[in-house]
Amino acid sequence: YKKSIGMEISERDYDLLVDTQIIVDVMLGSADITIKEFLELTEGDILSLDKQAGSGGDIYVNKRIIGTGDIIVIDEKLAVRVQEAMGSDNVVRYFFEENMI
């Protein structure tokens, strides 16, 4: 498995890499508030996020964005329908460089 930047990943390393479990985080948005404002939050308060309604979520692995998707509900659980994702070569290179194997 030859990478365009000259890095070579052996077939064994590739097989180990693709079987590695990862945690995927989906960020709906963020808010800039002070610690005081955070400490004053109580049940029922609303925290406005910086994204427009319907704009979906950003998909992260190891704090790096790898795609975006629409937030949906399946069987009463939240899910994400992938709309854009990093190309497979870039994903493999990223995970390999992050020493995931």
Side-chain angles (χ1 to χ4, degrees):
Y1 195 82
K2 181 110 170 141
K3 306 311 301 163
S4 58
I5 60 170
M7 173 180 42
E8 200 166 318
I9 301 173
S10 72
E11 189 172 327
R12 179 184 173 281
D13 286 345
Y14 180 82
D15 289 344
L16 288 171
L17 177 67
V18 296
D19 287 334
T20 301
Q21 293 286 319
I22 60 173
I23 295 174
V24 176
D25 294 309
V26 178
M27 181 176 286
L28 301 177
S30 61
D32 250 352
I33 63 173
T34 65
I35 292 175
K36 181 179 188 288
E37 291 169 324
F38 178 78
L39 295 173
E40 291 172 350
L41 289 174
T42 61
E43 186 175 337
D45 285 349
I46 295 173
L47 187 60
S48 294
L49 303 177
D50 62 353
K51 282 192 157 188
Q52 297 293 320
S55 63
D58 296 327
I59 304 168
Y60 287 83
V61 173
N62 287 358
K63 299 182 179 170
R64 178 174 179 168
I65 188 167
I66 64 163
T68 59
D70 294 330
I71 307 304
I72 60 173
V73 177
I74 298 177
D75 297 328
E76 299 183 18
K77 290 187 177 183
L78 288 178
V80 62
R81 179 186 299 125
V82 177
Q83 294 299 321
E84 288 185 54
M86 184 186 291
S88 60
D89 281 356
N90 289 331
V91 170
V92 169
R93 182 182 317 123
Y94 168 65
F95 288 145
F96 189 77
E97 288 171 355
E98 288 289 305
N99 297 314
M100 299 278 301
I101 56 172

